[in-house]
């Protein structure tokens, strides 16, 4: 059975597209057939992070408006046989998306025996974000450990509980998971950043992953390589852990403790 997972947030710039790309890659590495869709019509960043921007001929909006087939628009990843990307349009606005059109595309992916569909949502509650959430079975709510990001995501949780197809059908809200990005244990220890328990207490959902602040994320994105493929980086390993938990495995959270300073660092205050 196909599972549709939306990657969403209330605030922009928290790492949704990085997360969507890494989750899609991680699931495909496990032999799952995965499609990742960019719902951010007008901006389009997913194809850059996936490293397939030069191969985009048709996009999500073209499929919705019957200007091409879904098969023509899906871009097969060159690294993993079972991974496909459906890019957003850069030339249309979000009104080009329709509930009926999105449903038709998702239904076709189900008929094509995809195991997972990852929906990379725009931030906030506008049309593209609402449609990305509406058809979801599960949601990854991406949050930076700062007050504005947490507050804005609280609104998203309310929408996931009430404004989705599952809610309308009386099946309860979308199953929700919290993913913290740009986490810096040192700043948490100094009181400059919210801790994991602080965020959990406010939002009331369980943490599926904590991604440490890492220059490797930007380096990987600029190279068109999802950071999960950088198995030497802390961020890449943390995303791999999050994928494992998404698949039902039990793994302890890593990279959440501040490193203890050595003797020289303590003496000289560096």
């Amino acid at each position: 059975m196909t599972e549709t997972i939306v990657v969403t947030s209330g605030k922009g710039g928290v790492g949704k597209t990085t997360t969507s790309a890494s989750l899609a890659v991680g699931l495909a590495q496990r032999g799952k057939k995965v499609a990742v869709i960019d719902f951010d019509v007008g901006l389009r960043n997913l194809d850059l992070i996936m490293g397939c921007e030069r191969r985009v001929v048709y996009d999500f909006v073209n499929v919705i408006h019957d200007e091409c087939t879904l098969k023509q628009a899906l871009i097969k990843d060159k690294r993993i046989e079972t991974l496909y990307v459906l890019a957003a349009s850069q030339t249309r606005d979000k009104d080009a998306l329709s509930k009926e059109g999105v449903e038709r595309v998702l239904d076709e992916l189900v008929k094509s025996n995809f195991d997972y569909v990852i929906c990379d949502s725009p931030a906030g509650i506008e049309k593209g974000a609402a449609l990305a959430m509406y058809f979801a079975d599960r949601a990854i709510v991406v949050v930076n450990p700062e007050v504005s990001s947490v507050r804005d995501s609280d609104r998203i949780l309310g929408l996931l509980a009430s404004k989705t197809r599952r809610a309308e059908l009386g099946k309860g809200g979308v199953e929700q998971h919290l993913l913290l990005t740009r986490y810096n244990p040192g700043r948490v220890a100094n009181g400059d950043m919210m801790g994991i328990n602080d965020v959990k207490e406010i939002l009331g959902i369980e943490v599926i992953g904590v991604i440490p602040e890492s220059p490797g994320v930007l380096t990987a994105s600029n190279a068109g390589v999802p950071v999960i493929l950088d198995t030497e980086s802390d961020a890449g390993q943390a995303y791999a852990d999050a994928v494992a938990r998404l698949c039902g495995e039990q793994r302890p959270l890593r990279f959440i403790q501040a490193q203890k300073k050595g003797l020289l660092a303590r003496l000289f205050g560096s």
Side-chain angles (χ1 to χ4, degrees), residues 107-184:
D107 285 346
E108 195 168 341
L109 291 169
V110 171
K111 292 174 184 175
S112 299
N113 298 314
F114 277 84
D115 296 301
Y116 290 96
V117 178
I118 308 295
C119 300
D120 180 25
S121 171
I125 57 174
E126 46 77 27
K127 187 173 184 180
L131 287 174
M133 284 189 284
Y134 182 78
F135 295 100
D137 300 305
R138 281 205 269 183
I140 308 295
V141 182
V142 182
V143 179
N144 289 161
E146 58 182 51
V147 173
S148 62
S149 177
V150 174
R151 181 194 62 194
D152 290 347
S153 291
D154 204 19
R155 176 93 184 270
I156 296 298
L157 297 182
L159 295 174
L160 288 167
S162 60
K163 297 289 187 180
T164 63
R165 181 168 61 178
R166 289 182 63 84
E168 289 177 0
L169 294 175
K171 295 182 178 180
V174 173
E175 184 180 348
Q176 301 160 7
H177 306 283
L178 177 64
L179 189 131
L180 279 170
T181 55
R182 296 177 187 157
Y183 194 78
N184 186 318

Side-chain angles (χ1 to χ4, degrees), residues 52-212:
C52 62
E53 70 277 7
R54 295 182 181 179
R55 298 169 59 205
V56 176
V57 178
Y58 295 110
D59 57 51
F60 191 18
V61 172
N62 291 140
V63 181
I64 285 175
H65 289 265
D66 288 320
E67 295 163 356
C68 70
T69 65
L70 177 60
K71 188 173 182 180
Q72 285 176 299
L74 283 173
I75 301 169
K76 190 173 185 178
D77 188 81
K78 289 183 176 180
R79 294 161 294 219
I80 306 174
E81 185 76 14
T82 57
L83 178 59
Y84 296 82
V85 178
L86 183 54
S89 171
Q90 281 185 306
T91 59
R92 311 284 184 95
D93 61 30
K94 291 172 176 60
D95 288 333
L97 296 178
S98 66
K99 183 182 287 188
E100 296 75 18
V102 171
E103 183 174 24
R104 180 166 50 82
V105 171
L106 294 177
D107 285 346
E108 195 168 341
L109 291 169
V110 171
K111 292 174 184 175
S112 299
N113 298 314
F114 277 84
D115 296 301
Y116 290 96
V117 178
I118 308 295
C119 300
D120 180 25
S121 171
I125 57 174
E126 46 77 27
K127 187 173 184 180
L131 287 174
M133 284 189 284
Y134 182 78
F135 295 100
D137 300 305
R138 281 205 269 183
I140 308 295
V141 182
V142 182
V143 179
N144 289 161
E146 58 182 51
V147 173
S148 62
S149 177
V150 174
R151 181 194 62 194
D152 290 347
S153 291
D154 204 19
R155 176 93 184 270
I156 296 298
L157 297 182
L159 295 174
L160 288 167
S162 60
K163 297 289 187 180
T164 63
R165 181 168 61 178
R166 289 182 63 84
E168 289 177 0
L169 294 175
K171 295 182 178 180
V174 173
E175 184 180 348
Q176 301 160 7
H177 306 283
L178 177 64
L179 189 131
L180 279 170
T181 55
R182 296 177 187 157
Y183 194 78
N184 186 318
R187 292 183 62 193
V188 173
N190 291 334
D192 299 327
M193 180 178 279
M194 297 177 73
I196 297 168
N197 290 332
D198 298 326
V199 179
K200 281 175 61 177
E201 185 176 343
I202 294 170
L203 296 181
I205 56 176
E206 287 303 310
V207 175
I208 201 168
V210 177
I211 313 302

